[in-house]
Amino acid sequence: MHDSLLLILGLIVLVKGADLLVSGSASIASRLRISPLVIGLTIVSFGTSLPETLVSMVSGLRGNADLAIANLIGSNIANVLLVLGIAAIIRPLPVRNSTVVSEIPFSLTAAILVGFLANAALFSSFHVLTISRLDGAILLFFFLLFMLYVYKVARETVPGETVASGLGPVRSAAYVLIGIAGLYLGGRWTVEGAVGVSRLAGVDEALIGLTIIAVGTSLPELVASAVAAYRNQADMAVGNVVGSNIFNLLWVLGLTASFVELPFRVVSNSDLIMVIFSSAMIILALVSSRKNTILRWHGIVFVLLYAAYLVYVVMR
């Protein structure tokens, strides 16, 4: 009963936290003349990535590398196929050209980079696959490059790209801070409740890592992007997903690996390939629409693909 109540409470806090974060972030974007895309790539992405950061850091430091890596990989798959899919079903998402040619390819490159670093030992005399401290430093270096790019985009933002808001500066900042705290606590309570319920039902913990925990830590992105889409903030919805995926692979994984070496299982390569495939699916959707827009039917396909992936994971 306790786990069920914790799960429900976590979901409620998540929804309210996402609502406050999106409202406050949009207001800050307007007042600072920064585009919602930049806010989505930074403040919203950081806030919604807190659950992944918490789970992966704690798991890595406790020696549970499988859970740390599975959480991030599973979350990135859920971010694209589930989160972006549901957001597109709510409202078609127009994507600006800079996102198509820069941010999405950067996210795809980050996934390929992680795959290369994790399997680099196959090309040496040591065949033990790990994400080493050096690999962690390399990932953090690429994250720094990404942040420099975001800073460049922020400086180039023109007033017409911002959105109007009636919130005061203090209230906007309070909304963002309370929203991030709500996402952090809501994500933690949701995961703890879901894991508790699953264990009572006799579900394997490895499966929990790739499914329930991955979906649970993606709930902030899901709620934040869904709210942003509902409020016609497509840039923030897309920026949140793309930014969160980059945060997860470069910042969270890089930071965790910098503290402790993470053994990497060969079977995880199939999940990493799914991350690369899902990122490529965004580009295919945009190309097929011919209008740089993720349409509702794209969203339906994304969600169905995610359901098929979950079936594959369970069968595996």
Side-chain angles (χ1 to χ4, degrees):
M1 179 63 71
H2 172 265
D3 292 322
S4 299
L5 292 176
L6 194 62
L7 176 60
I8 295 172
L9 178 61
L11 289 172
I12 294 173
V13 174
L14 269 174
V15 172
K16 188 59 181 176
D19 183 54
L20 292 175
L21 179 60
V22 171
S23 298
S25 299
S27 177
I28 290 175
S30 174
R31 291 187 173 278
L32 298 181
R33 298 186 181 277
I34 299 174
S35 73
L37 174 65
V38 173
I39 295 295
L41 287 170
T42 53
I43 296 176
V44 178
S45 293
F46 174 76
T48 56
S49 292
L50 280 176
E52 286 93 334
T53 304
L54 172 71
V55 172
S56 292
M57 284 293 292
V58 172
S59 300
L61 293 175
R62 288 181 178 177
N64 196 339
D66 284 346
L67 182 57
I69 295 175
N71 167 49
L72 293 175
I73 292 177
S75 292
N76 274 28
I77 296 170
N79 282 348
V80 174
L81 299 182
L82 182 64
V83 176
L84 205 57
I86 290 178
I89 292 172
I90 293 173
R91 188 187 299 270
L93 303 172
V95 181
R96 64 170 62 194
N97 289 331
S98 65
T99 302
V100 177
V101 301
S102 299
E103 288 98 30
I104 295 175
F106 198 100
S107 176
L108 180 60
T109 302
I112 295 173
L113 175 64
V114 170
F116 172 77
L117 294 176
N119 292 276
L122 294 176
F123 304 98
S124 66
S125 57
F126 302 98
H127 297 303
V128 178
L129 303 186
T130 62
I131 299 178
S132 66
R133 288 186 173 90
L134 176 59
D135 296 334
I138 293 173
L139 293 175
L140 290 177
F141 171 73
F142 276 89
F143 178 72
L144 176 61
L145 293 180
F146 173 70
M147 294 309 295
L148 290 174
Y149 163 76
V150 172
Y151 173 73
K152 177 178 178 293
V153 172
R155 291 191 60 185
E156 294 175 350
T157 299
V158 297
E161 294 178 324
T162 60
V163 293
S165 174
L167 298 176
V170 176
R171 192 175 178 184
S172 299
Y175 274 24
V176 170
L177 294 177
I178 296 173
I180 289 177
L183 291 175
Y184 171 80
L185 292 174
R188 182 174 179 177
W189 293 341
T190 300
V191 171
E192 289 179 358
V195 170
V197 171
S198 298
R199 285 177 178 170
L200 287 175
V203 179
D204 182 71
E205 288 192 26
L207 182 61
I208 292 174
L210 269 175
T211 55
I212 295 176
I213 293 183
V215 173
T217 54
S218 290
L219 281 177
E221 286 91 342
L222 173 59
V223 180
S225 289
V227 171
Y230 178 76
R231 295 187 172 186
N232 202 26
Q233 293 286 344
D235 278 347
M236 193 174 295
V238 176
N240 171 39
V241 168
V242 175
S244 291
N245 278 12
I246 294 172
F247 265 72
N248 287 346
L249 293 179
L250 300 184
W251 169 249
V252 181
L253 186 58
L255 189 64
T256 304
S258 296
F259 282 99
V260 56
E261 190 170 275
L262 301 173
F264 186 83
R265 296 193 303 166
V266 175
V267 69
S268 296
N269 279 321
S270 61
D271 302 308
L272 200 52
I273 290 174
M274 191 63 184
V275 174
I276 297 172
F277 172 75
S278 60
S279 298
M281 283 295 295
I282 302 178
I283 299 176
L284 290 175
L286 295 174
V287 171
S288 66
S289 72
R290 299 181 181 179
K291 297 179 181 178
N292 280 0
T293 301
I294 302 175
L295 304 173
R296 282 194 173 91
W297 73 267
H298 293 143
I300 294 173
V301 171
F302 282 10
V303 173
L304 291 177
L305 283 174
Y306 186 69
Y309 168 74
L310 289 183
V311 171
Y312 161 75
V313 170
V314 172
M315 296 297 293
R316 185 179 67 185

